[in-house]
Amino acid sequence: MSCTTILVGKDATYDGSTMIARNDDSGSGHFTAKKFVVVEPEDIPKTYKSVLSHVEIPLPQKGLRGACGVNEKNVGMTATETITSNERVLGADPLVEYHKAEENKKEQIGGIGEEDLVSLVIPFIKTAREGVERLGSLLEKYGTYEMNGIAFSDEKEIWWLETIGGHHFIARRVPDDAYVVMPNQLGIDYFDMDEFIKQNHLDLSMDFEEDDEDAWTINPRECFGSHDDADHVYNTPRAWYMLRYFNPKTFDWDGPEADFRPTDDDLPWALIPERKVTPEDVKYVLSSHYQGTPYDPYLTYGDKSMAGAYRSIGINRNDFLGFVQIRPYMPNSAKAIVWLAFASNAFNAMVPFYTNVDSTPNYLNSTTGTVSTDSFYWTSRLIAAMADASYKTSLNLIERYQLAVQSKAHEILGRTDRALNTPAPSGRRPGKAAAAKICTKANEEMAGMLRKETDDTLKKVLNACSNNMKNQYARSDA
């Protein structure tokens, strides 16, 4: 899937939490309805069978409860950022693709891919490092039919794993004081490798010397990644904009003398931001459409010749934004929250929910294929479609909506956090069961606030869009 990911180390965030966030985007021309649910251990099967590749994998007997890519041990996982590779890598280690049975040929079972990874990993890990180890072992044994990047987080660290061909992978720990941006490309730009490089002639460095002790300290992006013309329209501009946002003064990003341009292949994988990163920053960059640049598709002034030239981050086919924040200052029962936004990020609102709960609000868990304003997903998509069609008159309505929702969300979150952190007369904070009830109640309050603000915005945007219809006429009956 086309997606955009951002990872922020604990020393780079406003509150010392780790942050991993990702847009999930549908393929061109279609949309996929999304919902927020809890998966209990008893719902985990003994054997997992992939729908797409038909591979069957036995699962550990004991699993953990999880919701939206976070388990009850407060470990988060993104799945996945589709990334690119090149012909040499795929020739050295071909993807493990599924082929159905044909005349005189048996069915060829495929490897694992995006649809499988969360189910195979997140219920069975207690740290981010364990996530890398478990997924790595599965990739080595079963292989994969596609290239993916996956993040794992706990309260202490973030790891990023990228698949290389059918069975190989690399993983790096995100520096605590840095952030990482990933726009559908293999992104890691420094790594120590082994024999795999030499055997398959993958190193393209001009200054390579076989006797050099650092010979296999390579740039994986050069060895394993792609540098297609399409990358310079679809991928690298997204990384450029996010880096430009968090480090506006570190480099010159604009003009003929820019240090980095939207089409550059050597954009940094990780940078130390110029200031601490907030949830609002994460939402902004994952909603962006090149505001303040000549590439904004909504540009209304100046030279518009490059407007819409590059693929935006906030596009029409965003299905959801999932943002896991793991907070070290909270008790284990409430360390993890997931911020959610549905449909096109340029026009939606992001809201936090506690994940260590037994159930989720109906407004977010009842999504079906039927369009309904009883669903946050479908209401968000309706707002986006109409606000885009009436952009000039609806933009201020969307800005007020986003401000209202996130302001009220912070108030509910702060009040609930204080309740979870306040000792009872016994001197103890709420236990696991009591905390789950407090978190569930807060989630319901959050969903109620969200629905009220979303319905109100839908009404206002519908009115603005209706007044922009081409068949409008000023005169009315007396």
Side-chain angles (χ1 to χ4, degrees):
M1 288 295 175
S2 53
C3 310
T4 309
T5 295
I6 181 168
L7 319 171
V8 192
K10 61 184 181 181
D11 294 340
T13 63
Y14 75 115
D15 67 344
S17 61
T18 56
M19 297 180 178
I20 60 174
R22 167 182 166 267
N23 285 349
D24 180 90
D25 307 333
S26 293
S28 180
H30 71 274
F31 306 92
T32 305
K34 299 292 181 178
K35 56 186 176 181
F36 173 37
V37 298
V38 174
V39 178
E40 297 290 349
E42 55 267 28
D43 297 329
I44 300 172
K46 294 181 180 179
T47 300
Y48 178 87
K49 182 172 182 178
S50 171
V51 174
L52 296 182
S53 70
H54 294 200
V55 64
E56 295 189 37
I57 300 174
L59 298 177
Q61 290 185 348
K62 293 184 178 180
L64 299 168
R65 182 180 60 192
C68 201
V70 189
N71 68 28
E72 62 184 280
K73 294 297 183 181
N74 299 309
V75 181
M77 176 182 179
T78 66
T80 66
E81 184 78 24
T82 303
I83 59 176
T84 51
S85 188
N86 62 61
E87 298 87 341
R88 296 178 309 285
V89 172
L90 299 178
D93 184 14
L95 298 174
V96 184
E97 298 178 337
Y98 171 78
H99 295 285
K100 64 181 181 180
E102 297 179 355
E103 187 176 356
N104 300 323
K105 287 185 178 181
K106 294 182 179 180
E107 178 187 48
Q108 179 179 314
I109 301 300
I112 57 177
E114 179 173 5
E115 66 147 347
D116 315 305
L117 301 187
V118 170
S119 298
L120 290 172
V121 177
I122 199 66
F124 312 108
I125 59 175
K126 296 180 180 179
T127 67
R129 287 182 186 235
E130 285 186 14
V132 173
E133 292 167 356
R134 175 164 174 79
L135 179 54
S137 66
L138 290 169
L139 290 167
E140 289 177 347
K141 183 173 183 178
Y142 298 100
T144 182
Y145 55 81
E146 60 186 3
M147 298 283 289
N148 281 309
I150 303 99
F152 297 94
S153 67
D154 54 37
E155 66 177 286
K156 295 180 179 179
E157 57 185 8
I158 300 171
W159 282 83
W160 177 251
L161 181 150
E162 295 180 332
T163 61
I164 302 171
H167 300 84
H168 290 77
F169 68 93
I170 54 175
R172 270 190 65 185
R173 187 180 188 276
V174 175
D176 290 338
D177 61 353
Y179 68 97
V180 165
V181 296
M182 289 296 306
N184 285 133
Q185 283 182 297
L186 193 143
I188 295 176
D189 55 8
Y190 174 86
F191 205 80
D192 293 327
M193 279 300 294
D194 57 19
E195 279 285 304
F196 184 62
I197 303 291
K198 180 180 177 181
Q199 289 177 353
N200 295 289
H201 314 289
L202 298 175
D203 197 306
L204 304 183
S205 303
M206 293 293 291
D207 58 354
F208 168 73
E209 295 181 12
E210 193 160 336
D211 294 332
D212 186 352
E213 291 183 359
D214 296 324
W216 302 122
T217 300
I218 49 87
N219 182 337
R221 194 183 298 173
E222 289 291 337
C223 295
F224 311 125
S226 64
H227 308 284
D228 299 335
D229 292 338
D231 286 329
H232 303 147
V233 174
Y234 197 83
N235 294 325
T236 57
R238 284 182 278 159
W240 171 84
Y241 189 83
M242 290 189 283
L243 295 167
R244 181 181 185 270
Y245 176 84
F246 289 112
N247 289 81
K249 299 177 182 177
T250 307
F251 301 103
D252 186 354
W253 302 96
D254 302 293
E257 303 300 321
D259 297 305
F260 293 108
R261 298 179 179 83
T263 56
D264 285 351
D265 291 320
D266 61 346
L267 293 164
W269 179 69
L271 278 180
I272 298 173
E274 293 177 10
R275 61 171 177 80
K276 301 283 189 176
V277 178
T278 69
E280 288 69 36
D281 292 321
V282 172
K283 173 65 168 71
Y284 184 87
V285 295
L286 290 182
S287 304
S288 64
H289 43 85
Y290 305 110
Q291 299 96 308
T293 78
Y295 316 118
D296 187 349
Y298 298 106
L299 192 67
T300 58
Y301 56 87
D303 181 4
K304 302 179 186 177
S305 61
M306 291 296 288
Y310 302 129
R311 189 265 206 209
S312 294
I313 299 172
I315 57 174
N316 64 319
R317 48 191 174 83
N318 297 139
D319 282 326
F320 77 88
L321 185 167
F323 166 19
V324 177
Q325 182 180 0
I326 303 180
R327 308 170 301 162
Y329 50 85
M330 292 299 296
N332 287 331
S333 58
K335 269 188 168 66
I337 54 174
V338 59
W339 297 75
L340 292 175
F342 289 162
S344 179
N345 287 339
F347 304 102
N348 63 17
M350 183 180 74
V351 195
F353 292 95
Y354 294 94
T355 60
N356 271 328
V357 292
D358 298 319
S359 62
T360 56
N362 189 64
Y363 190 45
L364 290 96
N365 70 22
S366 62
T367 310
T368 68
T370 302
V371 178
S372 170
T373 54
D374 289 329
S375 159
F376 180 47
Y377 172 84
W378 285 116
T379 309
S380 296
R381 190 162 293 291
L382 290 169
I383 288 173
M386 290 187 290
D388 176 84
S390 56
Y391 187 78
K392 290 183 180 180
T393 52
S394 293
L395 181 59
N396 68 320
L397 301 174
I398 298 300
E399 290 173 344
R400 291 172 187 169
Y401 167 54
Q402 293 169 337
L403 178 63
V405 167
Q406 289 204 222
S407 299
K408 294 177 181 179
H410 274 294
E411 190 276 325
I412 295 171
L413 189 66
R415 173 163 36 86
T416 308
D417 281 352
R418 288 189 292 275
L420 290 162
N421 264 324
T422 301
S426 63
R428 296 180 180 180
R429 290 184 296 191
K432 184 178 179 181
K437 289 182 179 179
I438 293 172
C439 291
T440 300
K441 182 179 179 181
N443 283 357
E444 292 293 343
E445 182 182 358
M446 197 77 73
M449 175 276 294
L450 177 63
R451 180 162 189 171
K452 180 177 182 297
E453 295 294 337
T454 303
D455 285 348
D456 183 61
T457 300
L458 175 64
K459 178 181 178 181
K460 292 174 180 176
V461 171
L462 175 60
N463 184 68
C465 196
S466 298
N467 282 321
N468 285 337
M469 292 173 65
K470 288 184 172 60
N471 63 353
Q472 64 176 300
Y473 197 76
R475 178 179 173 179
S476 58
D477 294 337

